[in-house]
Amino acid sequence: MSDAPPPVVTLDRRRLTALRSGVLLVRDDPVVFRVTGPGALPCLQGLLTNDLDKPGDGSLVYGALLTPKGMIVADLWVLRHAETSFTLLAPARARESTLEIFQRSLPPRLARATEVTDTDAALRVLGPKAAERMAAAGLPLPDSVGRLSPAPLEAGEVAVLRPQDAAPFRALVVGTREAVDAAAERLLDAGVPEAGAEAAEAAHILAGWPALGSEIGERTLPQEVRYDEIGGLSYTKGCYTGQETVARLHFRGHTNRELRGLVWLTDDPLEGETIYRDGKDVGRVRSQLRLPNRVIGLATLRREVEPDETVLAGGQEARVVPLPFPDDAIGR
């Protein structure tokens, strides 16, 4: 196993202030799928970790596709237009694996998955002033989670959705590329500054939200990366691929590793990703964020390592903290 240090995300003071007390616009670059057909709802219910039935039409749900052994293949945001029509947003790196699952698992007479990435796009609005600025731009944020119009979007329209409170963004805007670009211009005109991908990556670290390719690897179980805390699992909806492992962990056991935060006591570069406590290998650094006055990151740690303990993470001393990061761990 490689012990190279994880990639480093850097956030300047202006962007940090916007994330914590202001607002930012990030143009997303997901893979977009449309799943339609008379059996779209039951077919997706049998694949996703979360419940798509109970929230009803107009909902926004976060979940994952799993292997039969319960390991995460891809994480997705799912927009339910109707029982027969869904839009799904997946990370770009999960395109092939997601498409392969749909091709293998969706019976064509019941449900079809079509990639619409060339025509559809999304943007995210980050920061606590998102609702205020979006209202000023004529893109009001719904009062409750999700709540797009159940009817198909007309040309030039966008769906404006609210995620759950734990999410690393405050609003999701989805539609055709032309409509999303027009919405972005309205937000810019309303005084919402635009930021790049690093701001979105910083937001997910600050929120303790796992990302595919860093916190989520090929052998990651949902409960190892806070899916219970962030609302990515249902234990009541019935069977889905990988559900047996997920349920067994929930009702009869626990994971050996958990996602935790780290605050380094030095700003020296890391020497690998391995984490030691008292000379014993107890985990891996998964992501690192350099803030103006400190360095923080996310790590998978053995569950016996408690918050406030000091570990040697990537060759540098660091303090373990709970997630999401408390204010005193982020600093000013």
Side-chain angles (χ1 to χ4, degrees):
M1 176 171 35
S2 170
D3 195 30
V8 178
V9 179
T10 301
L11 195 67
D12 62 28
R13 190 173 301 279
R14 181 166 59 94
R15 295 298 191 220
L16 176 61
T17 300
L19 282 179
R20 299 182 70 188
S21 59
V23 62
L24 284 174
L25 158 66
V26 175
R27 298 185 199 237
D28 212 347
D29 190 26
V31 177
V32 187
F33 292 99
R34 191 76 34 74
V35 177
T36 58
L41 175 58
C43 287
L44 288 176
Q45 277 283 82
L47 292 176
L48 270 289
T49 58
N50 217 336
D51 192 351
L52 304 178
D53 186 13
K54 186 176 180 180
D57 293 348
S59 59
L60 175 66
V61 173
Y62 178 76
L65 299 172
L66 306 182
T67 68
K69 293 185 177 181
M71 297 166 187
I72 299 173
V73 176
D75 62 320
L76 304 99
W77 289 94
V78 183
L79 293 63
R80 174 175 162 176
H81 302 278
E83 290 188 11
T84 57
S85 178
F86 294 80
T87 298
L88 295 86
L89 309 179
R93 67 172 62 235
R95 177 186 179 275
E96 296 300 328
S97 55
T98 302
L99 190 59
E100 192 276 330
I101 289 175
F102 287 157
Q103 291 173 339
R104 184 182 71 240
S105 305
L106 296 180
R109 63 186 180 83
L110 296 177
R112 289 182 177 271
T114 305
E115 185 180 351
V116 293
T117 308
D118 289 343
T119 59
D120 287 32
L123 64 82
R124 304 184 191 216
V125 184
L126 290 60
K129 290 189 177 178
E132 173 188 326
R133 290 292 86 204
M134 293 186 73
L139 297 165
L141 190 60
D143 293 331
S144 57
V145 174
R147 307 335 305 167
L148 72 157
S149 170
L153 297 176
E154 298 292 337
E157 290 184 338
V158 291
V160 179
L161 303 109
R162 179 189 293 271
Q164 59 262 46
D165 290 342
F169 56 93
R170 298 301 180 96
L172 179 66
V173 179
V174 181
T176 64
R177 290 192 172 273
E178 294 79 5
V180 170
D181 285 344
E185 291 303 315
R186 292 166 67 178
L187 290 165
L188 292 170
D189 290 343
V192 179
E194 185 169 359
E198 282 208 333
E201 294 174 24
H204 97 73
I205 293 172
L206 290 168
W209 192 280
L212 194 70
S214 51
E215 292 75 35
I216 301 173
E218 293 181 354
R219 298 183 61 81
T220 302
L221 300 169
Q223 292 103 321
E224 291 179 322
V225 286
R226 304 187 69 239
Y227 264 55
D228 281 327
E229 292 89 343
I230 65 178
L233 291 173
S234 171
Y235 295 107
T236 60
K237 74 164 189 165
C239 294
Y240 54 88
T241 301
Q243 182 260 351
E244 183 178 350
T245 300
V246 170
R248 185 167 61 247
L249 277 172
H250 178 69
F251 292 108
R252 299 183 182 178
H254 55 75
T255 59
N256 293 325
R257 296 179 184 271
E258 297 178 354
L259 193 64
R260 303 276 178 80
L262 294 176
V263 178
W264 275 270
L265 307 183
T266 173
D267 61 359
D268 294 335
L270 299 190
E271 302 167 359
E273 62 178 21
T274 305
I275 303 172
Y276 295 96
R277 184 188 67 172
D278 298 330
K280 180 181 178 182
D281 182 342
V282 293
R284 297 289 183 274
V285 180
R286 296 304 185 191
S287 55
Q288 191 181 40
L289 172 61
R290 288 186 170 269
L291 299 174
N293 63 345
R294 67 189 58 190
V295 183
I296 66 174
L298 299 177
T300 47
L301 287 167
R302 291 197 62 83
R303 65 190 306 270
E304 61 264 25
V305 181
E306 298 286 347
D308 290 328
E309 289 194 52
T310 298
V311 295
L312 198 64
Q316 309 298 334
E317 284 193 330
R319 179 169 60 93
V320 180
V321 298
L323 295 172
F325 281 92
D327 287 342
D328 62 354
I330 300 171
R332 297 185 179 277

